[in-house]
């Protein structure tokens, strides 16, 4: 079996899909994207396709080595994301070829269902009580919310109080037997994060995500040591080497993204590395159906898995949603806040190829917002 063609599709709201076709007629799908830079990743996939076309798709690990290390310059979000989507597609082909779900090829399932959480609040958290209530009524046992919108370099007493009040409002709805995770989104300085983490402790977040920017990882050990709240990070880390300092710093939760951190192959290895540091896996995934399907396959085969992000109803999904490009939405029918393990081959989802091709004709030009402080200077989004 040989790879004969690789195509990419720019589909709303902000995703990039890739399709890998073989001469045996087996097709695999992946989701290689950097949100806001999809066109650049598309070009990277085209370059990597020059190597893959004509190759045996089942040599997944060998291809991963060549795609990530075969060029003199390595790493970075664009290359890692291009590789990630292609890697997902190759695992999809392997599962379809062997007639097995990817989690079976990773060593078999360790659980029957995967706990998932829902997003509430948007970029500027608002109307939280209503949104959390809706998710509880839908059966979810956990939600995640942004702590704040644009934040002062050193938070004012009013800003700190507002963060705590929002999380407390979510906790009031959730009660003591459900969870709320809080995303700092890299919007806080180390000093501000220490202040807010201490104030959040009484409302018992499941974890606080990305309290620091990834380029401030050298400050992470002190922050983890001072925090009464479990720390999670990793959506902007792209491989084991980048996760190692965060794990040695003592983070509680590793959050690699299956569409950014080298795909199924590398995230499976990151999970094993995290396990040796007593850290749990909670893959980042505010993206589309292929990325979520790949994340779930890893989750079913990972002993130290905690919880899975998913984008159903997320505020970014306006022109299309998680279920828009699927022939069968059953794999993403969440029961009591969990995704149930299926046995369909490959990634376990079937794309509506006609809908994908039609969407690509218009494409998208999604860009993340650019925020500024009141004085006109740049603010982290």
């Amino acid at each position: 079996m040989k790879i004969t063609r690789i195509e990419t599709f720019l589909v709303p709201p902000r995703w990039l899909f890739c399709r890998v076709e073989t001469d045996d007629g087996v097709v695999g799908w992946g989701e290689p994207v950097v949100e806001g830079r999809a066109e650049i990743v598309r070009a990277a996939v085209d370059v990597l396709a020059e190597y893959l076309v004509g190759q045996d798709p089942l040599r997944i690990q060998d291809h991963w080595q060549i795609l990530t290390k075969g060029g003199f310059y390595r790493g970075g979000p664009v290359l890692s994301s291009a590789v990630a989507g292609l890697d997902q597609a190759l695992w999809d082909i392997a599962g379809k070829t062997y007639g097995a779900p990817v989690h079976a090829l990773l060593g078999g399932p360790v659980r029957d269902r995967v706990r998932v959480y829902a997003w509430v609040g948007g970029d500027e958290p608002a109307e939280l009580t209503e949104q959390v209530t809706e998710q509880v009524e839908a059966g979810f046992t956990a939600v995640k919310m942004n702590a704040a919108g644009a934040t002062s370099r050193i938070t004012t007493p009013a800003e700190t109080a507002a963060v705590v009040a929002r999380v407390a409002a979510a906790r009031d709805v959730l009660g003591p037997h459900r969870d709320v995770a809080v995303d700092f989104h890299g919007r806080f300085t180390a000093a501000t994060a220490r202040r807010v983490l201490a104030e959040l402790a009484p409302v018992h977040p499941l974890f606080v995500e990305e309290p620091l920017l990834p380029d401030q990882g050298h400050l992470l050990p002190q922050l983890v040591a001072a925090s009464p709240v479990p720390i999670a990070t990793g959506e902007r880390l792209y491989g084991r080497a980048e996760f190692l300092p965060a794990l040695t710093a003592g983070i509680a939760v590793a959050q690699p993204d299956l569409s950014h951190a080298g795909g199924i192959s590398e995230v499976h290895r990151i999970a094993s590395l995290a396990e040796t540091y007593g850290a749990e896996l909670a893959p980042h995934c505010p993206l589309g159906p292929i990325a979520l399907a790949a994340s779930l396959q890893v989750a079913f085969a990972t002993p130290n898995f905690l919880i899975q992000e998913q984008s159903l109803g997320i505020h970014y999904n306006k022109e299309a949603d998680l279920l828009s490009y699927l022939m069968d939405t059953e794999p993403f029918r969440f029961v009591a806040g969990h995704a149930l393990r299926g046995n369909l081959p490959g990634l376990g989802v079937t794309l509506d190829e006609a809908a994908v091709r039609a969407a690509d004709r218009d494409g998208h030009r999604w860009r993340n917002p650019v925020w500024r402080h009141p004085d006109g200077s740049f603010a982290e989004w």
Side-chain angles (χ1 to χ4, degrees):
M1 184 165 57
K2 304 294 183 185
I3 297 170
T4 55
R5 181 167 60 158
I6 296 175
E7 300 174 273
T8 54
F9 305 93
L10 203 61
V11 297
R14 56 180 191 153
W15 305 330
L16 182 69
F17 296 167
C18 71
R19 179 184 183 274
V20 178
E21 182 178 338
T22 70
D23 57 359
D24 280 4
V26 182
V27 172
W29 288 87
E31 193 168 335
V33 67
V34 173
E35 300 93 299
R37 300 290 186 269
E39 301 93 331
I40 302 172
V41 180
R42 185 178 217 176
V45 171
D46 288 343
V47 172
L48 297 178
E50 295 174 8
Y51 160 75
L52 281 175
V53 170
Q55 299 288 335
D56 177 356
L58 300 181
R59 298 189 60 177
I60 299 172
Q61 298 301 337
D62 186 57
H63 296 326
W64 193 93
Q65 296 291 320
I66 299 301
L67 295 176
T68 59
K69 302 175 182 178
F72 183 75
Y73 297 99
R74 305 177 181 182
V78 171
L79 177 60
S80 294
S81 298
V83 172
L86 291 166
D87 181 81
Q88 293 168 17
L90 295 182
W91 279 102
D92 195 24
I93 289 171
K96 291 171 179 175
T97 299
Y98 297 126
V102 168
H103 66 255
L105 305 184
L106 294 175
V110 296
R111 58 180 50 82
D112 297 322
R113 59 182 191 159
V114 163
R115 189 185 186 200
V116 300
Y117 63 79
W119 257 98
V120 293
D123 282 336
E124 296 275 7
E127 301 174 351
L128 275 170
T129 298
E130 291 180 14
Q131 293 186 35
V132 176
T133 299
E134 288 176 6
Q135 299 303 343
V136 169
E137 291 175 348
F140 288 97
T141 62
V143 299
K144 190 171 80 176
M145 55 181 286
N146 278 319
T151 304
S152 300
R153 290 181 171 85
I154 301 294
T155 53
T156 65
E159 286 176 320
T160 301
V163 172
V164 176
R166 281 190 288 267
V167 182
R171 171 58 67 203
D172 287 344
V173 177
L174 293 164
H177 301 297
R178 300 183 185 91
D179 286 306
V180 56
V182 184
D183 192 350
F184 279 22
H185 220 257
R187 296 171 185 169
F188 293 77
T189 64
T192 292
R194 281 195 296 271
R195 173 182 287 172
V196 179
L197 285 166
E199 295 289 334
L200 283 176
V203 291
H204 205 85
L206 177 64
F207 56 75
V208 162
E209 176 176 330
E210 212 174 33
L212 296 175
L213 291 167
D215 54 6
Q216 295 177 340
H218 56 288
L219 302 176
L220 199 53
Q222 304 96 296
L223 187 66
V224 170
S227 176
V229 177
I231 298 298
T233 197
E235 69 184 79
R236 289 187 273 185
L237 303 177
Y238 309 115
R240 284 161 290 164
E242 294 185 13
F243 269 92
L244 184 58
L247 292 166
T248 57
I251 63 168
V253 183
Q255 297 179 294
D257 189 306
L258 271 288
S259 282
H260 300 327
I264 291 169
S265 295
E266 184 69 350
V267 171
H268 193 235
R269 291 188 284 259
I270 290 168
S272 295
L273 178 64
E275 187 177 18
T276 67
Y277 284 88
E280 302 294 304
L281 186 77
H284 179 258
C285 188
L287 292 169
I290 306 170
L292 179 57
S295 299
L296 292 174
Q297 294 297 329
V298 171
F300 283 121
T302 298
N304 57 318
F305 168 82
L306 177 66
I307 196 166
Q308 177 62 54
E309 181 173 26
Q310 53 83 29
S311 70
L312 191 62
I314 199 169
H315 50 290
Y316 302 121
N317 295 352
K318 293 181 172 63
E319 299 91 347
D321 209 333
L322 179 66
L323 309 180
S324 297
Y325 302 105
L326 295 176
M327 296 293 288
D328 178 10
T329 61
E330 182 66 17
F332 299 147
R333 182 176 65 86
F334 303 130
V335 178
H338 289 75
L340 305 182
R341 178 166 57 85
N343 289 305
L344 294 174
L347 295 180
V349 291
T350 302
L351 273 290
D352 183 342
E353 188 170 322
V356 170
R357 291 185 182 278
D360 179 62
R361 285 196 286 271
D362 292 326
H364 68 80
R365 292 180 60 83
W366 189 87
R367 302 290 184 261
N368 64 254
V370 175
W371 285 357
R372 293 187 180 275
H373 291 295
D375 65 1
S377 61
F378 173 78
E380 291 290 340
W381 167 63

